[in-house]
Amino acid sequence: MHHPANAVPRAPGLRLAREALAEGRITASGLIGQALDAAEAGKRELHAFSTIDRNGALSAAAESERRYAQGRQRPLEGLAIGVKDLIDTRGIETSYGSAAYLGHLPAVDADIVSALIEQGAIPVGKTATHEFAWGVTTGSATFGDALNPLDRTRIPGGSSGGAAAAIACGAVAAGLGTDTGGSVRIPAALCGVVGFKPTFGALPTRGIFPLAPTLDHPGFLGATVDDVAMLAGAFRIEVPQGSALPRARLGVIREIAPVPLDADVAAAFDAAVAALAAAFACTALDEPGLFNGVFEAFAHIVLTEGGVEHFRRNDADHIAAHYGKETIERLERAKTITLGDYARAQQSRRDFTARLHRAISAVDYLVLPTCPCTAPRLGQPSIDIGHWSGTVREALMTYTAPFNVAGFPAISIPLAVRDGGLPVGLQIVAKPGCDGALLQVAQQIENLLHAVA
């Protein structure tokens, strides 16, 4: 059943929740209890969560209440978050989306989790991921396919699909994901939420199961840009004060060959660019060949590095007995990649990164669609857009993977769509190191587009 986007309930934003806690209008136990109940429903109805940590979350909430009573609250004190099941959480089952790791209880938190807990955030559970984050649908034979809350016949995207679904269904306002080729931004776009991938290396990866270490980016998802900015603040990613308007220059990329835009995405993107032109200096970025070869390079790097990571952890018999069919097929393909293939892919990566630096040097930010289509249907292996046909994976990743290859920061924010339409994402890309400024301009674009919607 399809539900219009504006009919989906949302958890209160992190800032509103923090104000309610500080003013005593709700207790941390009350807030976390609500989040846990919603998470249980999200797990049951959408497979958005793999594990709920009711006892641990309520215990942490009680401690938060004591700190509020003593006036010792921290910036994220008592706020509920979801943590992708790829990311270690001490004493909370972390299966990496795989039957091979069912029952696995990490001894320590991942660094990124520790930093948020130290700021007072409370994980209520582990959000569903594609097995080992190696896919864009968050389908799972072990946990059940994650469903898109806006239309349960469709995927939420992946691999952080559980986090996006949990936010879109109102269980939490924000959470942690990972993004190797679009795995934060794709589900954000398909579920109508915000997904932010900072510059490569800006966030710690220790305690996160690697997919492709030279491409892996931890990231944040939230109902609004402000929600992801609050989490990013725990890592000294600060939003500058003041306004980027009207100075910011936007380079507009409408399409990335060979994948065109479907009609709904084209209409929403063109309307957004027209609205942005009133406040920003918008220029169509005409860079022939900018993206040539980048997706092929990305695919070779992922296969090579993913194969290395899995083959060094588990022997062939264990993989065959416990891994899912899709991951096994990818690992078989990984065996066919030669050292020469990998070296050529890395050279292609360097060439593309140099081209992207040149292209963005004339502007401040790039804007483009996050995905060329809205959420595909569950189990749909391929897709036709105009005269192009290809896999769902290629369609969803063509517009996002290049910025993992180059390590540039990128964010997806939802666009206004026709009544009853499925969500569409606008992707904004900044120069490396400009993470706080990217959040600032994204917030202003979010406000501008909301005002004209």
Side-chain angles (χ1 to χ4, degrees):
M1 180 179 179
H2 175 61
H3 304 274
N6 57 11
V8 176
R10 291 279 170 88
L14 294 183
R15 197 169 301 278
L16 287 176
R18 187 174 67 180
E19 290 172 359
L21 287 166
E23 294 168 7
R25 287 184 278 118
I26 191 169
T27 65
S29 295
L31 187 70
I32 295 301
Q34 291 174 5
L36 287 165
D37 290 345
E40 292 281 9
K43 182 176 187 288
R44 183 175 61 251
E45 298 172 12
L46 301 167
H47 305 136
F49 287 83
S50 55
T51 303
I52 307 293
D53 184 32
R54 181 171 286 274
N55 291 339
L58 289 175
S59 175
E63 294 176 13
S64 280
E65 284 183 19
R66 286 193 287 274
R67 278 189 286 271
Y68 272 109
Q70 296 163 359
R72 296 189 298 113
Q73 63 266 31
R74 301 162 294 181
L76 300 174
E77 193 69 66
L79 301 180
I81 60 168
V83 177
K84 184 177 181 177
D85 194 26
L86 199 72
I87 304 172
D88 285 351
T89 42
R90 182 170 62 88
I92 305 174
E93 183 177 10
T94 303
S95 66
Y96 314 124
S98 177
Y101 286 88
L102 285 174
H104 171 57
L105 297 175
V108 295
D109 288 315
D111 288 353
I112 194 169
V113 175
S114 295
L116 293 179
I117 290 175
E118 287 168 7
Q119 294 279 307
I122 299 176
V124 296
K126 306 306 291 288
T127 53
T129 178
H130 210 100
E131 185 175 40
F132 302 117
W134 212 338
V136 297
T137 66
T138 315
S140 174
T142 302
F143 297 102
D145 294 347
L147 309 179
N148 192 315
L150 286 302
D151 183 339
R152 297 182 185 185
T153 70
R154 297 178 184 269
I155 65 169
S159 62
S160 307
I167 293 162
C169 79
V172 291
L176 288 174
T178 63
D179 190 311
T180 301
S183 288
V184 160
R185 290 160 290 152
I186 290 167
L190 301 192
C191 290
V193 302
V194 174
F196 172 48
K197 174 194 80 65
T199 302
F200 181 77
L203 299 177
T205 57
R206 189 170 65 173
I208 301 175
F209 197 106
L211 173 51
T214 73
L215 296 167
D216 293 344
H217 296 62
F220 309 105
L221 296 99
T224 66
V225 177
D226 186 52
D227 292 320
V228 300
M230 285 183 65
L231 296 189
F235 302 90
R236 295 194 173 96
I237 298 175
E238 303 292 346
V239 180
Q241 298 302 307
S243 174
L245 299 170
R247 299 182 303 278
R249 300 164 298 169
L250 307 182
V252 179
I253 300 173
R254 190 176 188 272
E255 290 191 359
I256 295 180
V259 186
L261 305 183
D262 77 14
D264 288 343
V265 173
F269 180 74
D270 291 343
V273 170
L276 293 175
F280 296 92
C282 294
T283 306
L285 200 68
D286 184 19
E287 297 284 338
L290 174 59
F291 296 97
N292 282 359
V294 65
F295 193 78
E296 292 79 5
F298 164 80
H300 279 90
I301 293 168
V302 170
L303 283 171
T304 305
E305 296 183 5
V308 168
E309 290 297 331
H310 285 279
F311 292 136
R312 75 181 182 86
R313 279 177 165 77
N314 295 296
D315 61 33
D317 290 341
H318 183 84
I319 289 171
H322 298 289
Y323 279 27
K325 178 174 178 286
E326 186 178 6
T327 307
I328 291 173
E329 289 173 352
R330 295 236 166 93
L331 290 173
E332 287 301 312
R333 287 176 55 205
K335 294 177 183 177
T336 70
I337 305 297
T338 68
L339 187 59
D341 293 332
Y342 184 68
R344 283 186 289 275
Q346 290 291 4
Q347 184 58 54
S348 181
R349 174 191 213 163
R350 288 188 289 271
D351 293 342
F352 165 68
T353 302
R355 294 196 302 270
L356 186 60
H357 274 286
R358 288 194 296 272
I360 203 172
S361 65
V363 296
D364 299 302
Y365 305 94
L366 304 178
V367 293
L368 67 159
T370 308
C371 298
C373 58
T374 56
R377 295 194 178 277
L378 294 166
Q380 179 180 343
S382 60
I383 190 167
D384 299 327
I385 308 174
H387 297 295
W388 180 85
S389 296
T391 65
V392 165
R393 177 178 179 273
E394 185 179 357
L396 293 181
M397 298 177 75
T398 291
Y399 288 62
T400 55
F403 307 109
N404 295 83
V405 170
F408 282 38
I411 190 169
S412 178
I413 64 174
L415 290 179
V417 294
R418 297 191 303 262
D419 285 346
L422 290 164
V424 173
L426 175 73
Q427 187 173 197
I428 312 164
V429 179
K431 298 164 187 173
C434 297
D435 303 291
L438 175 59
L439 289 172
Q440 178 193 41
V441 79
Q443 209 158 36
Q444 292 169 358
I445 289 174
E446 178 186 61
N447 291 338
L448 187 155
L449 296 178
H450 181 75
V452 300

